[in-house]
Amino acid sequence: MNQQEAPLVAALYAHCARSYAHLHVPAHRQGEAIFPEWQGGKEILQLDLTELPGLDDLHRPEGVIARAQALAAELFGAGQTFFLVNGSTVGITALFLALCRPGDEILLPRNAHRAVLGGLIFSGAKPVFLEPVVIEEFGIAAGLTPQVVAGALEKHPQAKGLLVLHPTYYGVTGDLPRLVGLAHGVNKPVLADEAHGVHFAFHAVLPPPALQCGVDAAVQSMHKMGGSLTQSSLLHLKGNRVDVLKTARALRLLQSSSPSYLLLASLDGARRQLATKGREMLERAVGLAREVRQALSRLPGITLLGEEHLGRPGANGLDPTRLVISLRCVGLTGYQAARILARDYRVQVEMADYYNLVVVIGIGTTRQDCELLIRGLQGVVRRVGAGQSLVACPERPPLPVGRLTPRQAWLAPSRPLPLEECAGHICAEWVNVSPPGIPLLYPGEEIGPEMVEYLQWVRNLSLPVQGPEDPGLASLRVVVR
């Protein structure tokens, strides 16, 4: 080992030197859309400080942090806003701890991000998973229907609340006001994972923000679309269905005792920028996204998710700055297309799945970024040709049966077992193809034969897997019984 090496630093500088088209989060685009004070660069490091006199304390805010949080609460229409330095994940976990005790039920969409796993393990809650609508043309999950939510509330009257996605990773929103009305009708709080929707409040063509739809709590990744530094997020509370003191206590337990003042300051600066320039910046982003959509829609074999694919329960709205590009008729998986775009055309996209690419046009996206994307996809289509047939993804297995709570399974004795022998055993780890990070298996769920077959397909295609001890899926860790 050569201690003169700094491999991560070197890789970051090498990446920057390639001048990629930046069509992914964070929205500030390597500082180009950061608020003015930080556009100079090196002096940012002067602000890497700690809890000093006059700088307040995140865990007991009484001064400037309290003021900054109050400004954010007013802007977003919250009763109380908390700054998060451990991402939206810590906000979701804190809400679970504030609402649930071991054994309590909570209603969740099955396409919830794996961030909920920490909340389930810490709180000991028992998840009641609800199946979302699937937009078959793209093979993607959307939102929950009112019928599914109404049925779950009737069947699980003791549930402590409902979590919703607003929007999904693909930018789709459901009929959130109606879902809120159903839950509030039986006095249940509604929590919104709004990680990808912090910008919704700042332009009329975007879907309405979750707080405006009546939710009791919303967690937003300001860094994704709002222009703050990666890992900085917001947790908003409104009304009295979620206890403010319990939430604050949970955050004191979960967040770092040495929070980064760079992250905190970036939240404050990004909030001010959205308040003063948000509509202007998003008007530009929406316009660029419209131009890209028009150009790509003319390419043979390319289909974009649009309003024509919505208008159904669970899929009512769409974030126009988030482009979902289907490559099914080009004969390439999204993973393959993303690799070609990065390698040959200097284009980095937000996400790829089996069928699709997801592209983000954010407040820092440039016209050159968009032109590189268009030229890159033109090149991909010319190279491969339209009319190809991509082998269909097998149908996702039925919803696994939960035999233990995630906490029970996580803490239970476990051992690795060859994948082919796992049917009938209880999973002790989470397994998801990432992105988008939606678990196929949670700890505590029984592994059915259909799931084994599906995971074999994932393994054979070498799709990116997160969660299991063995990411190659030769084995899974199961509970010892």
Side-chain angles (χ1 to χ4, degrees):
M1 303 293 281
N2 180 1
Q3 294 301 324
Q4 296 298 317
E5 290 183 41
L8 178 56
V9 172
L12 287 167
Y13 276 103
H15 177 94
C16 293
R18 288 213 66 193
S19 300
Y20 285 103
H22 191 291
L23 294 152
H24 52 84
V25 301
H28 62 71
R29 197 191 185 279
Q30 295 176 284
E32 290 196 17
I34 206 79
F35 47 92
E37 291 92 334
W38 281 17
Q39 288 176 351
K42 192 173 285 188
E43 62 269 20
I44 295 173
L45 297 180
Q46 297 174 5
L47 308 183
D48 189 16
L49 296 169
T50 188
E51 295 88 345
L52 299 171
L55 298 184
D56 210 356
D57 182 343
L58 177 64
H59 299 295
R60 293 287 182 186
E62 297 176 339
V64 291
I65 294 177
R67 175 66 175 169
Q69 291 183 152
L71 285 163
E74 181 187 68
L75 179 65
F76 287 95
Q80 175 81 43
T81 293
F82 297 92
F83 282 5
L84 307 177
V85 294
N86 296 61
S88 288
T89 297
V90 78
I92 296 292
T93 303
L95 288 173
F96 278 44
L97 278 175
L99 283 176
C100 301
R101 295 182 296 180
D104 285 344
E105 292 182 327
I106 186 163
L107 307 179
L108 307 169
R110 185 62 190 196
N111 56 329
H113 190 270
R114 65 179 174 86
V116 306
L117 177 60
L120 294 169
I121 290 174
F122 273 97
S123 67
K126 179 182 179 181
V128 177
F129 287 113
L130 310 179
E131 287 279 26
V133 165
V134 174
I135 302 176
E136 298 291 349
E137 301 95 318
F138 294 81
I140 61 175
L144 300 171
T145 67
Q147 292 77 11
V148 165
V149 170
L153 288 168
E154 182 177 358
K155 188 175 180 181
H156 302 273
Q158 301 305 314
K160 294 298 181 179
L162 167 69
L163 177 78
V164 295
L165 304 182
H166 187 78
T168 67
Y169 207 143
Y170 298 92
V172 179
T173 59
D175 189 354
L176 185 52
R178 191 169 172 196
L179 301 187
V180 170
L182 289 169
H184 285 180
V186 290
N187 199 29
K188 304 293 183 187
V190 180
L191 321 176
D193 179 346
E194 201 174 14
H196 299 277
V198 73
H199 56 310
F200 282 2
F202 302 98
H203 200 287
V205 305
L206 300 174
L211 287 175
Q212 186 178 310
C213 294
V215 303
D216 304 281
V219 181
Q220 300 173 326
S221 295
M222 177 71 98
H223 65 93
K224 293 189 188 300
M225 295 298 289
S228 66
L229 295 184
T230 295
Q231 203 173 305
S232 58
S233 297
L234 300 170
L235 167 55
H236 306 294
L237 299 182
K238 191 173 183 178
N240 57 12
R241 287 187 178 87
V242 179
D243 192 302
V244 173
L245 295 179
K246 285 184 177 179
T247 304
R249 191 168 67 199
L251 287 172
R252 287 196 295 272
L253 170 69
L254 296 167
Q255 297 218 84
S256 170
S257 60
S258 301
S260 165
Y261 269 78
L262 295 179
L263 298 182
L264 296 173
S266 79
L267 285 169
D268 194 29
R271 181 271 315 158
R272 183 186 63 185
Q273 181 168 262
L274 285 175
T276 58
K277 300 180 181 178
R279 192 194 180 284
E280 171 190 341
M281 299 177 86
L282 283 163
E283 176 69 21
R284 182 176 170 280
V286 168
L288 284 174
R290 187 180 301 117
E291 293 176 19
V292 173
R293 179 179 291 275
Q294 290 171 350
L296 295 183
S297 66
R298 293 192 287 267
L299 293 181
I302 296 290
T303 307
L304 283 88
L305 179 65
E307 298 292 336
E308 65 274 17
H309 301 108
L310 306 179
R312 66 190 84 179
N316 299 66
L318 183 66
D319 177 0
T321 68
R322 207 169 189 87
L323 306 183
V324 181
I325 305 164
S326 172
L327 297 149
R328 295 176 84 152
C329 296
V330 178
L332 289 176
T333 68
Y335 304 113
Q336 291 169 324
R339 285 195 291 270
I340 293 171
L341 287 171
R343 184 189 65 214
D344 298 342
Y345 298 98
R346 294 189 296 111
V347 173
Q348 296 281 3
V349 300
E350 166 68 9
M351 191 267 277
D353 64 21
Y354 187 71
Y355 291 126
N356 311 296
L357 297 174
V358 176
V359 165
V360 171
I361 311 290
I363 58 175
T365 303
T366 66
R367 185 170 295 279
Q368 183 184 21
D369 291 334
C370 297
E371 290 171 351
L372 284 171
L373 171 68
I374 294 167
R375 286 202 294 269
L377 283 172
Q378 287 171 338
V380 170
V381 171
R382 277 196 305 269
R383 180 186 305 186
V384 180
Q388 305 294 318
S389 180
L390 183 63
V391 176
C393 173
E395 188 174 341
R396 190 166 60 85
L399 205 61
V401 177
R403 300 300 185 189
L404 302 171
T405 67
R407 179 186 179 92
Q408 290 169 334
W410 189 267
L411 297 176
S414 62
R415 65 184 178 93
L417 192 67
L419 177 60
E420 288 71 18
E421 301 174 21
C422 284
H425 289 267
I426 297 174
C427 195
E429 53 191 356
W430 52 274
V431 182
N432 71 264
V433 178
S434 183
I438 299 164
L440 293 164
L441 281 168
Y442 274 86
E445 293 181 334
E446 183 175 323
I447 306 167
E450 302 96 338
M451 182 63 72
V452 171
E453 185 176 341
Y454 189 89
L455 292 177
Q456 288 171 328
W457 173 81
V458 168
R459 182 180 64 190
N460 292 340
L461 284 184
S462 299
L463 301 186
V465 175
Q466 286 191 351
E469 187 175 82
D470 175 12
L473 293 180
S475 65
L476 288 180
R477 183 163 284 276
V478 301
V479 172
V480 173
R481 292 181 286 182

